[in-house]
Amino acid sequence: KSFLFRLWRGDVSSKMLNPRLQKAMKDYLNANKHGVKFRGKQNSQLTSEQLFCELKARVKIRTIDGEEAPFSVLGWKKHVPQTSLNKLYPRGFGSCAVVMSAGAILNSSLGHEIDSHDAVLRFNSAPTKGYEKDVGNKTTMRIINSQIVTNPNYHFVGNSLYKDVILVAWDPAPYSSNLDKWYKNPDYNLFTPYVQHRSKNPNQPFYILHPKFIWQLWDIIQENTKEKIQPNPPSSGFIGIFIMMSMCSEVHVYEYIPSIRQTDLCHYHEHYHDAACTLGAYHPLLYEKLLVQRMNTGLKEDLYRKGKVVLPGFRSARC
Ligand code: C5P
């Protein structure tokens, strides 16, 4: 429990993780499978306002728009939605909820509060049915990784989880953001099912995140962390928090920084236990959380009891 208390204060390092997680982090650093070459400088002295304003100024949401090769050559201009994600809600949302899939949300009774927000973001295959009391039932947007789109176990085609919501998919690309290399060798080939889904559901907003956006987020995390972080993309959770900060005037994030209910249960909807889900192995999740903790403007009491962090939206902040 002392780790949790320290995380709430933003006072933890990877040295405090269990040896298995430390070993996993080290192995990812050595493998550097996405060819990360960090050229920025480390600057962990920023105040929370400065950090917030860095994020706002330096990171721009970008999706594949068919303007660049190889997508331009492959005729993707007609596959992607005509309205870009930035322009989908030109006036933005008021208050938004980001609902993490952590097991700790079980028995939270947060469902009602979550559904009271103007927009709700969920991740991957996290269901609402059967869990309404704790997670609510409203879904405005879903961020999905490329495994969801490609692995038949998730029934991406046909599963109602992925209908009537804005879909935002991503796949780890080389740090260079070389789109040719990525297209030829994605982690999971989401490109073919994306085009199929677009042609069958032309009215559903469905985007693929641009690797440049994902790696810009990674750069900010590394710049503001004293330790070397895993050279792998940030988690869907961090990507989602940023997207909602761009679209909403206020963002309420649930069970990202764990509440007092913290558990090794990976997801509220599965029986699998692994501390890596909350603290990170592949993703630089611990460092993402430390950044989010630094920017929290919500009540400490809400963090402890609800696992809730409140962040201002970019439009409502003076930078
Ligand atoms: O596991 P999955 O990526 O689908 O979960 C969605 C997001 O929720 C993660 O990317 C991570 O940011 C967050 N999460 C967490 N703790 C967990 C499980 C998920 O912080 N135990």
Side-chain angles (χ1 to χ4, degrees):
K1 277 282 172 276
S2 85
F3 184 86
L4 180 60
F5 294 145
R6 296 185 70 148
L7 181 56
W8 287 342
R9 279 189 269 126
D11 176 29
V12 293
S13 81
S14 63
K15 304 279 175 300
M16 298 168 196
L17 296 174
N18 75 46
R20 182 180 63 91
L21 293 188
Q22 288 192 46
K23 167 84 165 49
M25 287 182 63
K26 227 168 103 200
D27 291 346
Y28 282 117
L29 268 167
N30 291 329
N32 192 12
K33 94 177 251 215
H34 308 295
V36 171
K37 286 193 196 79
F38 179 62
R39 290 195 193 83
K41 57 173 194 298
Q42 261 139 306
N43 188 1
S44 40
Q45 317 298 12
L46 298 187
T47 65
S48 63
E49 287 82 8
Q50 287 170 327
L51 174 59
F52 175 92
C53 292
E54 266 295 285
L55 261 181
K56 176 178 169 167
R58 296 256 314 278
V59 185
K60 293 282 166 276
I61 296 184
R62 240 179 112 180
T63 58
I64 297 300
D65 58 8
E67 300 276 2
E68 298 164 284
F71 300 102
S72 50
V73 184
L74 295 161
W76 272 51
K77 284 244 343 177
K78 62 178 191 301
H79 296 321
V80 303
Q82 284 193 354
T83 311
S84 73
L85 180 56
N86 293 313
K87 296 194 179 123
L88 203 50
Y89 291 90
R91 298 155 86 208
F93 297 109
S95 97
C96 295
V98 178
V99 185
M100 297 302 169
S101 312
I105 206 162
L106 284 177
N107 300 315
S108 68
S109 300
L110 283 166
H112 191 72
E113 174 174 329
I114 288 169
D115 283 343
S116 74
H117 291 279
D118 302 315
V120 178
L121 173 64
R122 301 182 194 274
F123 298 92
N124 294 318
S125 62
T128 53
K129 198 164 176 283
Y131 300 93
E132 292 88 347
K133 190 169 151 294
D134 295 327
V135 307
N137 68 13
K138 181 194 269 189
T139 307
T140 313
M141 188 187 302
R142 214 173 253 284
I143 300 202
I144 54 181
N145 58 44
S146 47
Q147 296 171 56
I148 299 289
V149 184
T150 53
N151 184 330
N153 293 334
Y154 293 110
H155 301 104
F156 178 62
V157 179
N159 192 328
S160 63
L161 280 181
Y162 310 109
K163 295 211 172 84
D164 304 316
V165 297
I166 305 164
L167 288 176
V168 176
W170 71 276
D171 178 78
Y175 183 75
S176 64
S177 298
N178 182 320
L179 300 183
D180 270 308
K181 279 194 189 150
W182 180 41
Y183 187 81
K184 285 191 194 115
N185 191 21
D187 216 15
Y188 294 88
N189 184 356
L190 77 172
F191 302 116
T192 312
Y194 175 80
V195 170
Q196 282 169 358
H197 194 279
R198 284 291 306 146
S199 70
K200 280 192 201 134
N201 309 274
N203 296 323
Q204 181 177 22
F206 183 9
Y207 305 91
I208 296 179
L209 293 174
H210 198 292
K212 280 208 168 121
F213 163 62
I214 290 176
W215 290 112
Q216 276 176 348
L217 279 177
W218 185 91
D219 283 340
I220 298 276
I221 303 167
Q222 180 61 87
E223 283 173 26
N224 292 284
T225 303
K226 284 184 192 133
E227 301 180 60
K228 272 196 149 191
I229 72 170
Q230 293 94 319
N232 302 322
S235 72
S236 299
F238 191 78
I239 294 170
I241 291 169
F242 181 91
I243 292 178
M244 291 318 246
M245 287 171 84
S246 310
M247 298 180 79
C248 310
S249 40
E250 190 170 81
V251 183
H252 296 234
V253 182
Y254 296 92
E255 285 295 358
Y256 186 54
I257 316 272
S259 69
I260 196 73
R261 293 178 299 275
Q262 186 194 24
T263 163
D264 279 356
L265 181 63
C266 183
H267 294 129
Y268 63 81
H269 54 94
E270 284 174 345
H271 293 298
Y272 177 64
H273 288 256
D274 186 349
C277 298
T278 305
L279 301 174
Y282 174 77
H283 298 293
L285 189 59
L286 179 64
Y287 306 110
E288 302 170 12
K289 292 185 181 194
L290 286 170
L291 253 56
V292 167
Q293 187 278 338
R294 269 164 73 184
M295 293 188 289
N296 183 18
T297 62
L299 301 173
K300 283 284 177 204
E301 203 56 27
D302 281 346
L303 179 57
Y304 309 154
R305 288 176 192 279
K306 299 179 178 174
K308 177 164 93 165
V309 162
V310 182
L311 303 167
F314 293 133
R315 74 188 71 211
S316 49
R318 328 169 223 99
C319 283

